[in-house]
Amino acid sequence: MNNDDFRQWSRRAADWGADYRDTLRDRPVRPLVEPGDIFRSIEASPPEDAEPMDRIFADFEEKILPGMTHWQHPRFFAYFPANAAPVSVVAEYLVSAMAAQCMLWQTSPAATELETRTVDWMRQALALPEGFSGVIQDSASSATLAAVLTMRERALDWQGNKKGLAGQPRLRIYSSDQVHTSIDRAIWVCGIGEDNLVRIPVGGRFRAMDNAALEAAIIADREAGMLPAGIIACVGGTSTGGTDDIASVAEVARRHGLYLHVDAAWAGSAMICPEYRHFWSGVEAADSVVFNPHKWLGAQFDCSIQFLRDPESHVRTLAIKPDYLKTHGHDGIINYSEWSVPLGRRFRALKLWFLLRAHGLENLRTMIRNHVAWSEGLAAQLAKEPDFEIVSEPMLSLFSFRHKAATGADADEHNLRLVNAINDDGRIYLTQTRVDGRVAIRFQVGQFEATAGDVDAAFVVITEIARSIG
Ligand SMILES: *Cc1c(COP(=O)(O)O)cnc(C)c1O
């Protein structure tokens, strides 16, 4: 592709992106395809000869697009949002065009320094104390892995990376059962092992860890000769928004000298609004906090900020510094690859910078406040319906509900059938979870272009389809 063609096709892609957004509301949120449909539609062998761009682009529209789930659809109420505000897509285009590697200061000084600045902008936006620094990771999973590795190395006095875990005391990490599966995987990957992730029972409306049980578990483990290393608390768990009492957990962590990582991957965005910050009060005492601007806030995936109260133990865990990566002569410069597991790094700060400037915090706050209010409104509306029950009350913009099955019918099966029927209908998209072992249907609204009308449409679709399946 020469530069003239590059120009032409880039314009074509830009027009396509805007047309796509214009027509999103009319598309089924989830594609109506069977497993293997798309795979079979793609040539089995790679082309030996160059093909014209017209044909490639036409195939994208004909074969790929009908198999996409539309995450930017205003009636996407499943999982959590993965917003890509148009301005962040524009920034991503520039980043892709430059395609710089941003592992060291000198491999892209602007990327490094903008990252430091935008992370600090977000720190201020969330009202985290001065002194917290941070890094933009690809995903919360990576941030949590980095945090668990740091817990491990701190507890082992930095001997784990060198000697491995054989012959070391048995390490223990504590969390509730509401945390995301990325915590399990971090525990597996860092060699601590699932058996040493101690699940603390939860209680209360927000399913918070029982702090007395947490402290008792730490003491018992230590008496049994094991080595408690850290605690992972969550604010806004994926199932029903489970949220720990961070101030109390931090107090336990402090008393026992444990590293505290807080996973607020989804809910962190809402902390730009002062009225929601009570959900993580005490967070300033955490050692590490992760939140994903690529979820609710609108920074195109991927963009996950890990804040660190004291980056030294984090960097000491992850930095390698082989000779060919040494950059001499710049005292105090940051090489962000020493803050993350992968070496190569994308320039993720640009889209955050564009996003925050083009929208301003106040508009983003309004969006989040609207989502929370609409979700609360829908929960209240469903609660009034005789055949529906609210299973978990709204935590920010997330709640879960159940439809009553006919007498004698299995309630779990009925609700799975309902959620599948709703999704096959295509007008909205929801996902299910299990609450205390029973199926519940989740609802969250967080799409950038969602309106109150879209949430009203959700009520119509849910009640209409529930009636039709009985
Ligand atoms: C989405 C989510 C994650 C995982 O985030 P990735 O960036 O996809 O790794 C972890 N924890 C919580 C609470 C989440 O909502």
Side-chain angles (χ1 to χ4, degrees):
M1 183 175 268
N2 64 32
N3 283 345
D4 281 337
D5 291 339
F6 181 41
R7 193 169 284 114
Q8 183 201 326
W9 283 101
S10 297
R11 291 204 172 112
R12 174 84 181 268
D15 284 340
W16 184 90
D19 291 345
Y20 174 71
R21 293 193 75 105
D22 277 345
T23 54
L24 263 178
R25 199 175 260 106
D26 308 320
R27 296 170 193 265
V29 192
R30 194 176 73 161
L32 301 169
V33 294
E34 294 299 322
D37 283 357
I38 291 109
F39 180 78
R40 279 189 299 274
S41 77
I42 306 295
E43 292 293 329
S45 304
E48 291 294 337
D49 298 313
E51 295 186 61
M53 259 311 278
D54 276 324
R55 196 190 304 156
I56 302 169
F57 203 94
D59 276 352
F60 160 68
E61 293 193 288
E62 280 160 35
K63 298 180 175 177
I64 303 302
L65 192 58
M68 293 302 292
T69 298
H70 301 299
W71 283 73
Q72 304 311 309
H73 198 297
R75 294 179 182 178
F76 180 103
F77 303 120
Y79 305 99
F80 279 139
N83 283 321
V87 66
S88 76
V89 177
V90 172
E92 274 295 274
Y93 184 82
L94 306 179
V95 165
S96 297
M98 293 185 288
Q101 278 293 342
C102 309
M103 58 258 213
L104 307 177
W105 178 86
Q106 79 173 14
T107 64
S108 274
T112 298
E113 294 183 17
L114 189 65
E115 182 161 337
T116 308
R117 188 59 89 188
T118 50
V119 167
D120 194 63
W121 277 14
M122 281 314 317
R123 177 195 67 74
Q124 295 173 52
L126 304 183
L128 288 172
E130 251 176 79
F132 263 87
S133 52
V135 51
I136 308 183
Q137 307 278 17
D138 54 359
S139 62
S141 303
S142 293
T144 295
L145 175 59
V148 172
L149 289 167
T150 304
M151 290 176 189
R152 185 190 80 184
E153 287 307 290
R154 229 177 57 130
L156 295 177
D157 200 21
W158 281 273
Q159 293 304 301
N161 278 344
K162 192 167 164 56
K163 296 183 179 157
L165 299 189
Q168 303 286 5
R170 193 165 157 187
L171 292 160
R172 303 286 269 182
I173 308 273
Y174 307 83
S175 78
S176 80
D177 59 2
Q178 299 295 305
V179 293
H180 188 265
T181 50
S182 57
I183 279 84
D184 301 60
R185 291 215 261 176
I187 301 288
W188 304 344
V189 172
C190 77
I192 291 177
E194 184 86 47
D195 288 351
N196 294 308
L197 176 60
V198 182
R199 303 286 192 173
I200 306 299
V202 297
R205 168 164 170 200
F206 292 110
R207 294 171 184 270
M209 264 193 277
D210 173 342
N211 289 310
L214 169 65
E215 185 146 34
I218 295 167
I219 292 167
D221 283 351
R222 201 162 262 150
E223 279 169 1
M226 295 188 268
L227 184 54
I231 305 172
I232 299 167
C234 75
V235 177
T238 35
S239 175
T240 61
T243 294
D244 291 314
D245 173 352
I246 303 300
S248 312
V249 174
E251 186 49 37
V252 175
R254 191 196 58 76
R255 266 204 297 279
H256 295 276
L258 302 189
Y259 193 91
L260 174 60
H261 173 63
V262 174
D263 178 5
W266 160 67
S269 293
M271 303 308 158
I272 62 172
C273 305
E275 70 270 32
Y276 303 135
R277 290 187 193 139
H278 64 91
F279 281 120
W280 74 358
S281 73
V283 72
E284 60 284 351
D287 295 291
S288 161
V289 181
V290 65
F291 106 96
N292 285 348
H294 70 229
K295 278 184 169 156
W296 207 348
L297 206 62
Q300 201 262 13
F301 188 85
D302 49 5
C303 185
S304 178
I305 298 187
Q306 183 177 15
F307 292 105
L308 295 156
R309 192 154 56 88
D310 163 23
E312 201 178 305
S313 47
H314 179 92
V315 173
R316 191 167 165 198
T317 299
L318 296 175
I320 290 187
K321 299 197 180 97
D323 268 349
Y324 72 93
L325 290 177
K326 279 203 179 120
T327 48
H328 299 288
H330 293 276
D331 278 343
I333 61 166
I334 295 179
N335 294 322
Y336 276 119
S337 62
E338 299 179 343
W339 299 50
S340 53
V341 176
L343 172 66
R345 308 182 78 247
R346 306 178 60 248
F347 181 6
R348 302 191 183 91
L350 195 73
K351 59 194 165 197
L352 200 52
W353 191 51
F354 273 41
L355 174 82
L356 293 172
R357 295 179 66 188
H359 288 269
L361 287 171
E362 195 49 31
N363 284 312
L364 295 169
R365 286 188 197 107
T366 301
M367 172 186 77
I368 284 172
R369 285 172 180 144
N370 280 338
H371 292 158
V372 172
W374 297 335
S375 180
E376 286 170 353
L378 179 64
Q381 231 181 332
L382 282 176
K384 275 191 235 137
E385 292 290 302
D387 295 341
F388 284 91
E389 64 170 310
I390 301 303
V391 176
S392 59
E393 293 290 331
M395 154 62 185
L396 297 169
S397 59
L398 168 68
F399 70 92
S400 65
F401 65 93
R402 236 188 320 255
H403 184 244
K404 289 191 187 116
T407 354
D410 182 277
D412 285 355
E413 247 170 54
H414 174 76
N415 279 281
L416 285 176
R417 212 152 61 84
L418 174 58
V419 79
N420 286 331
I422 288 170
N423 292 336
D424 287 344
D425 171 84
R427 282 175 290 172
I428 66 170
Y429 185 22
L430 301 176
T431 38
Q432 72 277 359
T433 184
R434 275 183 186 272
V435 181
D436 301 326
R438 295 176 60 202
V439 171
I441 301 176
R442 284 169 87 261
F443 178 92
Q444 69 76 28
V445 50
Q447 299 315 106
F448 232 70
E449 262 139 64
T451 62
D454 292 311
V455 178
D456 292 342
F459 178 79
V460 171
V461 174
I462 292 166
T463 50
E464 184 186 298
I465 293 180
R467 266 195 303 276
S468 78
I469 71 163

